[in-house]
Amino acid sequence: LDDLHLHLHHHNSIHFLPILPVVLHFISRLDLVIVPASNVQIIKPHHHPAKIDNLHKSHHPQSQQHCRHLPLRAFLMPSLFTNPNNEESQCLTPEINQSRRYSFSRDKSVVSGLLSDSDAAGARNNGMGPSSSSSVSLVGAAPGNINSEYGSYQQDATGEKKSIYGMIESEQADYEQFDHRSLPRKGLDKLLKRKRYFARKVFLDGTTLPHKSFPKNVVRNQKYSFIFFLPQVLWEQFKYFFNLYFLIVALSQFFPPLQVGYLFTYVAPLVFVLSITITKEAIDDLKRWRRDVKANSQRYTRLTVDGSERVPSSKISVGDLIVIEADERVPADCILMRTTEKSGASFIRTDQLDGETDWKLRRAVKLTQELPSNHSLFDIHAAVFAERPHKAIYDFIGKLTKYDAAGQDVEHIESLSLEQTLWANTVVASGTVVGLVIYTGKETRAVLNASSPRSKMGKLDQELNNLSKILFALMFLLSLLLVACKKFQGSWLITLFRFTLLFSSIIPISMRVNLDMGKTAYSFFIMRDKKIPGTVVRNSSIPEELGRIDYLFSDKTGTLTQNDMIFRKLNLGSSYFELTEHDESTLKELREITEEAFAQEEGQIDTATKHIRDMLLSLALCHNVTPSSSSADDAVKEYQASSPDEIALVKFAESVGLVLEDRTMNNITLKTPQGNLLVFDVLIMFPFTSESKRMGIVVRERDHPENIFYFIKGADTMMSKLVKPSDWLDEECDNLAREGLRTLVFGSKRMSTEIFEEFKMEYETAKSKVVDRSQHIEETRLRWEKGLDLLGVTGVEDKLQEDVQGSLENLKNAGIKLWMLTGDKVETGICIARSARLISRNQPMYKLIVDDETQLLEQLTEYAGQNDDYLALVIDGNTLNMCIQKPFQKLFMKEVVKSACVVCCRCSPTQKAQIVKLVKKYTKKQTAAIGDGGNDVNMINSADVGLGIVGKEGKQASMASDFSITQFKHCTRLILWHGRNSYKRSARLSQFIFHRGVIISIIQAVFSAIYFFAAIPVFTGMLLVGYSTFYTMIPVFSLILDEDVKDDIVFTYPELYKDLQKGRALNFRTFMTWIWKAVFQGGIMMLLAIALFEQKIIRIQSITFSALIMTELLMVCLEVSRFKIWMLLSVVLSMVIYIASIFLLPEYFDFTFVFSFDFWWKTVVLVLACNIPIYFFSFIIKTLNPPNWKKLTRGNHGPMKERIMRWIRGRL
């Protein structure tokens, strides 16, 4: 008993049971109630199953056992139901009502008495089935025209309907979106973790259709569960090859034939690394759990029939009526039913949902807002249809249906849109609201749009993985070589595995921990940099990728510009006005014109003045701005809006004397220069969308009800198709764009009351659609917006951000290719690019703007023939869309990546992301993207490094980025300085760690080779564990403090960044250089220790290990570019720890020998023999071919060192 019921009563007048399977096949998609003719009843969708059962019992209490309840899914063919006892067969006549329930009776008089006018009206747009040829007899309805709230239709004298009507069809469309899955299908979906979302009908008494359990309203951001925490963390670690390799190495020591040392030696490093990872994950997940508990335990007032009760957020369910106070978080997705605000609308803050800081206006459902109290909601029979849950936070389709007191007939239907929604995690900013919960838990917009933290793997990490694979191959070949030298004697496979275990230090298990700690330190340095205040590192895994950027993609508005709009120009066709900062004469002239336009009644002014009056009214009325008084001074107006463009227009109207005094859900009040108040009733409002590219509002002047205005403003590309032909519009828009101004075209239409009512009826019909509502509304608007009167064109200036020119110049000199991706006109884009010095004054420019593919091929061929890397390319959105398609994509990308800079205009958010992905695909180089708005998020996520600016459009781009900054100029320091340091430090750190692992493995290899290729460890126990931790970790890790040059040199010579782009700090050549260093040092160290000094194993071990530790510490001192006090302290501390361990670990050292003069001079000889040749050759190479940064800092070395270097160069 879900929501469809077939009641078959065993009655003599119905003899069709033998063909019941055939009937069910045809009617399996229809909601029916079939009862005896004398007991026709209408079963509404909101009736409970129990109510339906009681209804049936009241009619036939004696035959309840014969009642069957079957779900049906198609339309009934009336000809199947006939009375065999009658000579003339009669079809059962359907009673039609707006709830799409049908009662069939053979007695037409009964149906005639039950069929009300509203039922007949509700039959609009419905046939007996999907076919429009099906006919329905409307008994009792008079022939001719039938008018209803939902439209009109024709009916002839026989009662046959001539067209299809939409209300029942709409209800059927609602029903089709419900969950009709069978139990096995539901089980299969759950088993396969397939997410299915369905629509629902929510009644104000808390019941729902379908009758099912919806997700619990629980916030859960935990990554792990308490029970499976450890298995999940271990799986995340061991699914990678190298971690699994170390696990196998550790486990192998439990088998005696494979043991090559103490079990602790191999288990301890793995446990240490895993302990750090598990602890970090546990702390992070504990913080998430605490946040979840706080959110789930927040208490709200839930309205009930008996009063109200306080419940935690986790106990809220679909159908609940929740009271939410001001500044409280919305706990679930709701429909705004009522608000305490007199205007019937409340503001909400959505910065935690979409990142936008401006308040959003939400309007209560008109029907429920007019009720006397909150508890009056339980006195009406009403239901809300909500579409299936989806991710689109700016889109919602639903409707509220009100039934009569008996719950039988539909009295009122009100369409619902985004304006009536309260999404979870938003905050009520004004008033106290009552919301009807429609989605909870996993079905809320916030959760559907939530994603797990992005995991970006940097290019450096990929290179290190590849180098680690080379080391793994080296380790295996070295093991195989030693086994081969032993001529594969005995159990050579076990010996091979034992050698592999002995050389496992070649693959550094501590690499990942050291690099992660280093990245955390780099992130800390970035956020503590006082020269870029407000910078936040949101992804600490890729700071070194800032040091290798090849392409930077930038938004324009709010990124290169301030997004601080200033009204500059107004063109009315017959007159032209330009406002400047220092000239008040134009503004004074406009004030006089405005005063004259509003000094008299509209009918008493001339045509020109009337035109100006309409333009000023459109500026002051066609927007979504809400005024508020400043707390400091009530005379000072502050404005809230989702776009700074609108505020600039309203402020201009205010500056000329037409002030936006007040705004509510239903009216807008303006104050004229004379101090009079003009009140306009808002009849219909069409908000701006990126698809429609325009905004419209229909208003009626309260003092003159005959004056109904339809004001529209929008982009010139759209408005030029709607306004009457003009010989100056296109030229003026191009002129304003060339000056870098943002253009808006204004149009209007005056309507009579009759025309408006006709327009409203069409609009309401389109708005009542559940399927493709936006498309129906757009089609309706286009029909009525043709032939608008052109009022004027405005030009608004968006100032450049501070020091944008210098920042772009530095980035270009650093070898970074810059792309500007904007939605503005081509002329505007070129103007901003030149003023920002993205395109230099004398730089050649090529425009790639075509209309068809033939022209595109010609232009691409011509562009390819330019052969000029200094060339700047300008392309528009339509051409770009053709270029990125398959036939032209390869040719386009091959040529466009060569351009010094590219300006893409009329570019959509999707195109921004596509072009970033294509550049990554075809160049294999590092990309970065920077933006400030929600439309830049896709571009930011597509790039290797995402930079977000906290701007006036909100925090959405900032929250989605890897690095959040407050101004564009900060990205220069972030990339050229912090990117350089992070990359070079990580490269040097990883090379030292590779060196540290290889050198000890070479010592082991030489030792085994000398001692008859025995798989015996030279260092065991705490020596092996302490080597990569206590003794060398701190000095090696101190390399994260190293700086090769000072920051002033980096910004004076940004060309230094080009060396980083080539990846010379860490490549195969530098990797092999460090490997050869380790091979040389490890081989010399062990050979000299055995051949020249001692024969006792413990003494060889002591000398070699001491020389090894000192060599690593000395290498740190020799390789750093700029020695700092913390580096020196780390070296001293490590040496102190090593000396202390000699006393603490007597089993590894011959105490008497270690503190003898013989031990120390031999150790020093080993250290010098290992390091002097390395340093000498390194010094020679750097002297003959110094790096670029060395050339620039040569004068900083001091006169003595400079003279020595000149002497060496002269002799060589």
Side-chain angles (χ1 to χ4, degrees):
L1 293 177
D2 276 358
D3 55 341
L4 309 177
H5 303 273
L6 171 65
H7 292 235
L8 297 178
H9 183 264
H10 188 70
H11 196 275
N12 292 332
S13 63
I14 300 179
H15 299 287
F16 64 97
L17 292 180
I19 61 169
L20 181 59
V22 181
V23 175
L24 293 180
H25 174 74
F26 283 100
I27 65 178
S28 61
R29 295 194 63 79
L30 179 65
D31 300 341
L32 298 177
V33 178
I34 302 179
V35 296
S38 59
N39 297 296
V40 175
Q41 296 290 337
I42 300 174
I43 307 300
K44 295 292 182 179
H46 60 283
H47 285 165
H48 295 279
K51 185 173 182 179
I52 296 173
D53 290 338
N54 293 334
L55 176 66
H56 190 276
K57 290 178 183 178
S58 65
H59 293 304
H60 304 283
Q62 74 281 2
S63 57
Q64 177 63 21
Q65 67 273 15
H66 298 292
C67 181
R68 298 184 61 193
H69 301 272
L70 299 175
L72 303 180
R73 300 188 182 279
F75 287 95
L76 177 65
M77 313 302 285
S79 60
L80 291 176
F81 291 84
T82 61
N83 184 357
N85 297 328
N86 291 348
E87 296 179 0
E88 180 181 358
S89 297
Q90 291 182 331
C91 295
L92 296 177
T93 306
E95 174 189 350
I96 305 172
N97 55 73
Q98 295 170 8
S99 63
R100 205 174 59 84
R101 294 285 176 166
Y102 308 89
S103 297
F104 281 80
S105 170
R106 295 182 66 257
D107 188 347
K108 293 187 178 181
S109 62
V110 175
V111 177
S112 176
L114 291 174
L115 185 63
S116 64
D117 291 340
S118 61
D119 291 329
R124 186 172 62 91
N125 278 1
N126 181 69
M128 280 304 297
S131 172
S132 61
S133 62
S134 302
S135 62
V136 178
S137 297
L138 300 177
V139 183
N145 293 332
I146 297 179
N147 296 314
S148 73
E149 177 186 354
Y150 308 105
S152 61
Y153 55 86
Q154 294 287 329
Q155 180 173 284
D156 60 15
T158 63
E160 180 174 318
K161 188 181 63 172
K162 294 297 184 181
S163 60
I164 295 186
Y165 308 104
M167 194 51 61
I168 299 176
E169 180 184 357
S170 174
E171 289 289 338
Q172 181 186 355
D174 297 352
Y175 168 75
E176 294 294 339
Q177 300 181 55
F178 292 164
D179 186 1
H180 300 299
R181 294 175 298 167
S182 61
L183 285 177
R185 183 64 178 273
K186 291 179 181 179
L188 182 62
D189 288 342
K190 188 173 183 179
L191 180 64
L192 299 178
K193 295 183 178 180
R194 293 187 298 206
K195 296 180 179 179
R196 307 285 190 184
Y197 301 108
F198 301 95
R200 71 283 313 269
K201 205 164 191 176
V202 184
F203 297 88
L204 299 190
D205 63 356
T207 58
T208 62
L209 279 179
H211 305 296
K212 57 172 287 187
S213 59
F214 296 97
K216 293 183 178 179
N217 194 48
V218 176
V219 176
R220 191 181 189 280
N221 294 309
Q222 288 176 261
K223 188 176 179 181
Y224 309 100
S225 63
F226 177 77
I227 299 176
F228 298 104
F229 170 75
L230 195 58
Q232 285 178 297
V233 173
L234 294 178
W235 165 253
E236 290 292 327
Q237 296 302 311
F238 292 129
K239 68 181 181 181
Y240 298 104
F241 170 75
F242 290 109
N243 286 348
L244 183 61
Y245 165 77
F246 287 116
L247 177 64
I248 295 174
V249 168
L251 294 177
S252 68
Q253 297 306 291
F254 288 96
F255 300 94
L258 301 178
Q259 287 183 354
V260 293
Y262 296 116
L263 179 64
F264 175 78
T265 303
Y266 293 90
V267 173
L270 181 64
V271 171
F272 175 74
V273 172
L274 290 178
S275 298
I276 293 177
T277 302
I278 292 174
T279 303
K280 179 178 178 297
E281 292 293 328
I283 292 174
D284 290 344
D285 218 43
L286 181 62
K287 292 179 180 178
R288 298 188 197 104
W289 176 78
R290 287 176 176 172
R291 288 196 296 266
D292 291 347
V293 169
K294 183 178 180 181
N296 292 326
S297 2
Q298 186 173 352
R299 304 186 75 82
Y300 295 87
T301 300
R302 178 167 62 190
L303 298 180
T304 63
V305 178
D306 301 326
S308 61
E309 58 183 357
R310 297 286 288 178
V311 295
S313 174
S314 58
K315 298 298 182 182
I316 293 173
S317 58
V318 173
D320 287 348
L321 287 167
I322 303 299
V323 179
I324 308 170
E325 304 286 345
D327 295 324
E328 278 189 342
R329 179 184 69 90
V330 179
D333 288 356
C334 304
I335 297 297
L336 177 56
M337 308 301 288
R338 290 176 55 79
T339 175
T340 55
E341 297 289 287
K342 295 180 180 179
S343 63
S346 287
F347 282 102
I348 61 171
R349 297 194 295 268
T350 62
D351 53 309
Q352 295 301 315
L353 181 65
D354 59 9
E356 296 185 3
T357 55
D358 292 301
W359 292 7
K360 306 294 189 305
L361 192 68
R362 292 293 182 263
R363 305 176 189 277
V365 177
K366 187 175 181 180
L367 173 69
T368 53
Q369 176 67 20
E370 293 172 352
L371 296 175
S373 67
N374 291 340
H375 281 85
S376 300
L377 291 167
F378 296 104
D379 298 333
I380 62 173
H381 298 276
V384 168
F385 169 80
E387 63 177 342
R388 68 177 183 84
H390 54 76
K391 289 185 177 182
I393 60 176
Y394 300 113
D395 186 27
F396 175 75
I397 295 176
K399 63 181 179 182
L400 180 138
T401 306
K402 180 180 181 295
Y403 303 95
D404 62 6
Q408 299 293 317
D409 301 319
V410 174
E411 291 184 343
H412 177 79
I413 291 181
E414 185 173 344
S415 64
L416 305 177
S417 63
L418 180 67
E419 286 189 326
Q420 285 78 42
T421 60
L422 300 170
W423 296 144
N425 283 355
T426 59
V427 177
V428 176
S430 63
T432 299
V433 302
V434 177
L436 175 67
V437 178
I438 55 173
Y439 308 125
T440 53
K442 297 178 181 179
E443 293 184 341
T444 60
R445 292 294 199 274
V447 175
L448 290 174
N449 282 278
S451 58
S452 55
R454 292 178 299 126
S455 179
K456 286 188 178 181
M457 188 175 186
K459 194 172 183 179
L460 181 70
D461 291 331
Q462 297 173 10
E463 292 170 345
L464 291 176
N465 277 344
N466 294 332
L467 296 177
S468 296
K469 294 174 184 177
I470 296 176
L471 288 178
F472 179 78
L474 175 64
M475 177 187 66
F476 182 77
L477 290 175
L478 187 58
S479 303
L480 188 62
L481 177 63
L482 292 178
V483 173
C485 292
K486 202 175 180 180
K487 300 180 180 180
F488 298 98
Q489 295 177 1
S491 302
W492 65 272
L493 284 176
I494 293 180
T495 304
L496 177 64
F497 194 83
R498 285 171 61 87
F499 274 125
T500 304
L501 296 177
L502 287 174
F503 301 147
S504 60
S505 297
I506 287 182
I507 302 177
I509 189 174
S510 59
M511 171 75 80
R512 176 54 51 203
V513 174
N514 278 273
L515 287 178
D516 287 346
M517 292 172 62
K519 291 176 181 181
T520 303
Y522 307 150
S523 302
F524 177 77
F525 297 154
I526 291 173
M527 291 189 287
R528 289 292 299 272
D529 191 342
K530 295 181 180 180
K531 294 183 179 180
I532 48 174
T535 301
V536 178
V537 179
R538 302 194 187 280
N539 186 356
S540 61
S541 62
I542 58 170
E544 71 281 354
E545 298 307 308
L546 289 166
R548 306 177 70 179
I549 302 300
D550 292 284
Y551 291 88
L552 178 62
F553 300 88
S554 174
D555 177 41
K556 181 184 75 69
T557 305
T559 304
L560 299 179
T561 61
Q562 297 180 16
N563 204 13
D564 185 11
M565 307 300 176
I566 301 176
F567 193 97
R568 288 301 183 198
K569 295 190 177 182
L570 173 64
N571 192 327
L572 302 177
S574 58
S575 53
Y576 179 82
F577 303 95
E578 180 177 359
L579 280 70
T580 59
E581 295 181 3
H582 306 292
D583 186 7
E584 294 287 335
S585 59
T586 304
L587 196 61
K588 183 178 180 181
E589 180 184 357
L590 281 169
R591 289 197 190 102
E592 294 174 354
I593 295 174
T594 304
E595 187 173 353
E596 179 185 354
F598 288 91
Q600 304 175 30
E601 293 293 334
E602 185 178 359
Q604 302 174 357
I605 57 179
D606 56 28
T607 304
T609 307
K610 184 178 180 181
H611 179 82
I612 295 174
R613 178 189 174 103
D614 287 350
M615 181 63 193
L616 293 173
L617 285 176
S618 67
L619 289 171
L621 294 172
C622 189
H623 53 73
N624 205 4
V625 179
T626 302
S628 60
S629 298
S630 172
S631 57
D633 184 2
D634 290 342
V636 178
K637 290 286 183 182
E638 293 182 352
Y639 298 103
Q640 284 289 340
S642 57
S643 171
D645 297 65
E646 293 196 324
I647 295 179
L649 298 176
V650 172
K651 284 186 175 180
F652 167 73
E654 180 183 7
S655 66
V656 298
L658 191 59
V659 182
L660 176 62
E661 190 69 18
D662 187 28
R663 182 184 189 128
T664 66
M665 185 170 64
N666 299 318
N667 56 72
I668 299 175
T669 303
L670 304 179
K671 181 189 288 186
T672 66
Q674 293 77 22
N676 301 324
L677 296 180
L678 299 179
V679 181
F680 292 85
D681 295 322
V682 179
L683 305 179
I684 301 177
M685 187 169 181
F686 301 102
F688 178 88
T689 65
S690 57
E691 291 79 17
S692 66
K693 296 182 180 179
R694 66 193 189 280
M695 175 192 176
I697 187 171
V698 182
V699 295
R700 176 193 282 124
E701 190 173 354
R702 185 170 295 180
D703 294 338
H704 302 278
E706 70 280 1
N707 290 343
I708 299 179
F709 302 91
Y710 186 7
F711 293 116
I712 302 176
K713 68 178 180 183
D716 59 298
T717 53
M718 173 57 70
M719 294 296 292
S720 60
K721 304 172 185 177
L722 303 178
V723 298
K724 296 175 182 177
S726 170
D727 56 355
W728 61 271
L729 177 60
D730 293 337
E731 181 182 358
E732 178 61 18
C733 290
D734 291 342
N735 291 336
L736 293 176
R738 275 190 286 270
E739 297 177 27
L741 302 180
R742 296 165 64 93
T743 59
L744 278 177
V745 179
F746 287 77
S748 71
K749 176 179 283 190
R750 290 178 178 245
M751 294 181 172
S752 63
T753 304
E754 294 76 14
I755 292 177
F756 169 71
E757 290 299 330
E758 185 179 352
F759 170 52
K760 181 182 179 183
M761 182 176 294
E762 286 193 26
Y763 170 66
E764 292 292 340
T765 302
K767 197 169 69 166
S768 66
K769 299 287 185 181
V770 175
V771 180
D772 297 329
R773 177 187 292 177
S774 300
Q775 180 180 345
H776 288 295
I777 292 176
E778 180 66 14
E779 292 172 353
T780 302
R781 289 184 64 183
L782 287 174
R783 283 197 300 270
W784 286 89
E785 290 175 353
K786 292 291 185 181
L788 294 173
D789 293 326
L790 176 60
L791 295 179
V793 180
T794 60
V796 177
E797 179 188 6
D798 189 3
K799 289 186 176 180
L800 290 176
Q801 284 206 15
E802 181 183 354
D803 199 24
V804 163
Q805 295 96 331
S807 299
L808 290 176
E809 195 72 29
N810 279 334
L811 293 173
K812 289 169 65 178
N813 292 335
I816 298 175
K817 294 185 177 181
L818 303 171
W819 291 50
M820 186 177 78
L821 311 177
T822 176
D824 284 339
K825 291 173 64 69
V826 173
E827 292 77 9
T828 306
I830 294 175
C831 180
I832 295 296
R834 288 201 180 280
S835 61
R837 296 182 191 171
L838 180 65
I839 299 178
S840 304
R841 183 177 299 275
N842 299 321
Q843 186 174 1
M845 182 176 62
Y846 188 91
K847 289 185 181 181
L848 187 59
I849 302 173
V850 297
D851 297 322
D852 55 55
E853 295 184 354
T854 303
Q855 294 180 8
L856 177 60
L857 184 59
E858 294 175 357
Q859 293 279 353
L860 282 177
T861 305
E862 180 182 345
Y863 174 66
Q866 297 290 324
N867 224 3
D868 185 1
D869 292 343
Y870 190 59
L871 187 67
L873 176 67
V874 178
I875 185 171
D876 70 338
N878 292 331
T879 308
L880 179 63
N881 191 50
M882 289 188 283
C883 288
I884 61 180
Q885 303 305 319
K886 286 295 182 183
F888 305 100
Q889 186 183 104
K890 189 173 182 180
L891 175 61
F892 173 69
M893 295 307 302
K894 178 183 177 182
E895 300 302 328
V896 75
V897 295
K898 299 176 184 178
S899 298
C901 68
V902 180
V903 177
C904 297
C905 303
R906 295 296 190 192
C907 196
S908 68
T910 303
Q911 287 178 323
K912 291 181 180 182
Q914 285 177 328
I915 198 66
V916 172
K917 292 176 182 177
L918 286 174
V919 170
K920 288 171 58 179
K921 175 183 175 181
Y922 281 92
T923 64
K924 308 297 181 185
K925 294 184 177 181
Q926 292 296 96
T927 60
I930 181 170
D932 73 313
N935 60 338
D936 301 318
V937 170
N938 287 339
M939 176 180 70
I940 290 172
N941 288 335
S942 299
D944 295 302
V945 179
L947 306 174
I949 295 180
V950 181
K952 294 187 177 181
E953 291 188 19
K955 298 181 180 179
Q956 193 170 1
S958 168
M959 297 298 291
S961 65
D962 301 305
F963 302 90
S964 172
I965 56 180
T966 56
Q967 296 183 53
F968 181 85
K969 68 176 183 178
H970 292 168
C971 77
T972 307
R973 183 173 182 83
L974 191 65
I975 293 174
L976 299 186
W977 174 243
H978 289 287
R980 175 187 184 85
N981 288 337
S982 300
Y983 171 57
K984 298 207 73 172
R985 289 166 177 173
S986 290
R988 184 59 60 87
L989 179 62
S990 59
Q991 289 167 339
F992 261 92
I993 294 173
F994 281 143
H995 175 273
R996 188 173 63 188
V998 172
I999 189 173
I1000 194 172
S1001 297
I1002 295 299
I1003 291 174
Q1004 175 65 58
V1006 173
F1007 177 82
S1008 296
I1010 292 176
Y1011 286 93
F1012 311 103
F1013 305 102
I1016 301 173
V1018 61
F1019 306 125
T1020 59
M1022 287 302 300
L1023 293 184
L1024 196 60
V1025 173
Y1027 170 67
S1028 58
T1029 54
F1030 310 118
Y1031 304 142
T1032 61
M1033 186 183 73
I1034 300 177
V1036 171
F1037 188 71
S1038 69
L1039 291 170
I1040 66 170
L1041 302 174
D1042 192 23
E1043 296 174 1
D1044 54 356
V1045 293
K1046 294 182 179 180
D1047 57 352
D1048 57 341
I1049 293 179
V1050 167
F1051 297 113
T1052 305
Y1053 304 99
E1055 292 81 4
L1056 289 173
Y1057 191 82
K1058 295 179 181 179
D1059 290 337
L1060 306 181
Q1061 293 173 324
K1062 299 173 183 177
R1064 292 177 177 174
L1066 179 65
N1067 53 25
F1068 184 75
R1069 179 182 175 182
T1070 59
F1071 170 73
M1072 291 307 300
T1073 300
W1074 281 85
I1075 296 300
W1076 284 118
K1077 286 182 183 179
V1079 171
F1080 171 79
Q1081 291 175 324
I1084 291 294
M1085 197 176 298
M1086 179 52 70
L1087 288 174
L1088 286 178
I1090 293 177
L1092 301 180
F1093 296 107
E1094 297 294 336
Q1095 295 298 321
K1096 291 183 179 181
I1097 294 294
I1098 189 170
R1099 292 192 174 185
I1100 293 175
Q1101 186 185 67
S1102 301
I1103 292 174
T1104 308
F1105 191 76
S1106 298
L1108 178 62
I1109 297 299
M1110 293 181 184
T1111 296
E1112 287 298 314
L1113 299 181
L1114 183 60
M1115 286 286 290
V1116 171
C1117 297
L1118 296 177
E1119 291 294 332
V1120 296
S1121 302
R1122 294 165 59 87
F1123 217 96
K1124 295 187 176 181
I1125 186 62
W1126 293 107
M1127 297 180 181
L1128 178 62
L1129 292 177
S1130 67
V1131 172
V1132 173
L1133 178 62
S1134 296
M1135 200 64 201
V1136 170
I1137 293 174
Y1138 177 66
I1139 295 173
S1141 66
I1142 295 176
F1143 296 95
L1144 299 175
L1145 303 172
E1147 63 272 21
Y1148 298 102
F1149 300 95
D1150 183 347
F1151 193 78
T1152 305
F1153 176 68
V1154 167
F1155 284 94
S1156 65
F1157 177 76
D1158 194 41
F1159 168 82
W1160 287 104
W1161 79 261
K1162 290 179 180 180
T1163 302
V1164 171
V1165 169
L1166 281 181
V1167 172
L1168 295 177
C1170 293
N1171 288 279
I1172 288 179
I1174 297 292
Y1175 182 75
F1176 178 76
F1177 284 106
S1178 177
F1179 182 78
I1180 295 289
I1181 292 172
K1182 290 181 179 180
T1183 302
L1184 295 177
N1185 186 25
N1188 291 329
W1189 64 266
K1190 203 77 171 179
K1191 299 173 185 177
L1192 298 175
T1193 58
R1194 183 170 290 160
N1196 296 332
H1197 292 314
M1200 179 61 69
K1201 189 170 183 178
E1202 183 65 26
R1203 287 198 298 270
I1204 294 173
M1205 293 176 68
R1206 281 201 303 268
W1207 182 85
I1208 293 175
R1209 284 196 297 272
R1211 296 298 178 272
L1212 295 176

